[in-house]
Amino acid sequence: MSRAPTLTVLPAAVRAPLISLQRAGVHYGAQVALREITLQIHRGDRIALVGANGAGKTTLLRLLNGLQAPSSGQRALCPVDGAPGGRAPVSAMLFQRPFLLHFSVRRNLQLALWLAGVPATERAHRLQGALQRVGLQAMADRPARSLSGGQQQRLALARAWGVQPDILFLDEPTASLDPSARREVETLIDEFGHAGMALVMSTHNLGQAKRLASRVLYLDAGRLLVDLPVDDFFNRTDLPPEAAQFLKGELPWT
């Protein structure tokens, strides 16, 4: 089967990427999860991954984050400053349901910072800053698993903030939250983007994509069919038929 071309608008200014995929594919035996994905993630990107269930969004997040090795093609980490031999980008990932240990909020954060290799002399400062950023200072000694769903996601965001990643990957981070908690988490995600993190988020909520993203990637059956600025994605009339149908079917529900 011939590979469908990706509808792409290149940025006016060329920026050094943080992560690059070149014709990367992921196969699970005979099942093809991703097909020849070529894209770059840059500092300042705020990317929404959209598409139907099974399109490959979570697999692409895992591939970009290094949790999944490519079965074909290449994944490359690029120096943060663009100079050869520079520091590799740091990444963190937030899942739909965060995994929290049977410890306090504070202890969950301390363990995350230790695992990330944060020096002991910096951990207390980073921990307090992370709790303050997400508004959980008063709950530092509460059992993490006793928190509400929205508070647990805020704790997961605090763990990410403490690691100080260059790129934050988010897999349906508000799908299981009520509207109030969703607004709180969206506000934090937006603040993280303004603080300089690149954001790559899978979502079924097209309203959320409009609010938080500057760039939209549309996936269909493991293929990257669209890579466009957010306004172009929602307003162009020459989208591939699959993407146009997706928008036609989903927009009334946002």
Side-chain angles (χ1 to χ4, degrees):
M1 182 175 66
S2 61
R3 184 166 63 97
T6 302
L7 183 59
T8 306
V9 172
L10 297 177
V14 177
R15 296 172 292 160
L18 297 172
I19 297 179
S20 177
L21 298 181
Q22 183 65 34
R23 301 189 69 176
V26 173
H27 307 156
Y28 301 113
Q31 179 185 358
V32 180
L34 293 176
R35 305 169 185 269
E36 296 192 337
I37 304 291
T38 295
L39 66 88
Q40 294 180 337
I41 309 299
H42 302 85
R43 182 175 295 281
D45 277 343
R46 300 168 64 136
I47 297 173
L49 306 181
V50 301
N53 286 332
K57 300 186 297 296
T58 297
T59 303
L60 180 55
L61 282 175
R62 291 173 59 83
L63 176 63
L64 287 166
N65 195 30
L67 298 176
Q68 171 69 56
S71 305
S72 59
Q74 295 181 332
R75 169 187 178 269
L77 294 177
C78 308
V80 170
D81 58 4
R87 175 178 68 81
V90 175
S91 64
M93 189 160 178
L94 189 71
F95 298 91
Q96 180 176 340
R97 289 183 172 83
F99 178 76
L100 301 174
L101 298 174
H102 289 283
F103 298 140
S104 67
V105 167
R106 186 190 312 277
R107 184 60 176 151
N108 269 270
L109 274 172
Q110 288 172 335
L111 183 59
L113 295 175
W114 174 70
L115 290 172
V118 176
T121 54
E122 294 183 26
R123 288 177 206 157
H125 174 71
R126 288 210 200 178
L127 187 149
Q128 291 303 318
L131 288 176
Q132 182 176 4
R133 169 64 67 169
V134 303
L136 291 179
Q137 309 97 303
M139 301 182 182
D141 296 315
R142 284 185 55 179
R145 293 192 175 184
S146 72
L147 302 179
S148 69
Q151 290 166 343
Q152 289 189 15
Q153 279 296 49
R154 284 158 56 192
L155 174 54
L157 284 167
R159 288 192 303 199
W161 180 265
V163 173
Q164 298 182 355
D166 301 290
I167 310 170
L168 178 60
F169 298 101
L170 306 109
D171 191 6
E172 297 281 353
T174 64
S176 60
L177 303 182
D178 62 48
S180 177
R182 183 176 67 242
R183 285 192 297 271
E184 291 177 354
V185 171
E186 282 190 4
T187 297
L188 286 170
I189 293 170
D190 188 54
E191 290 176 358
F192 281 26
H194 283 298
M197 292 182 196
L199 305 175
V200 186
M201 176 181 67
S202 69
T203 181
H204 282 102
N205 187 323
L206 294 181
Q208 186 173 76
K210 280 187 172 183
R211 290 189 294 272
L212 296 178
S214 60
R215 176 180 166 196
V216 177
L217 307 184
Y218 173 76
L219 294 167
D220 179 75
R223 301 169 298 162
L224 176 58
L225 295 188
V226 175
D227 182 353
L228 289 174
V230 63
D231 288 342
D232 285 356
F233 178 75
F234 286 103
N235 295 308
R236 284 178 64 148
T237 59
D238 61 343
L239 294 176
E242 299 91 339
Q245 183 62 41
F246 177 78
L247 283 175
K248 182 180 179 180
E250 293 291 331
L251 278 176
W253 297 96
T254 60

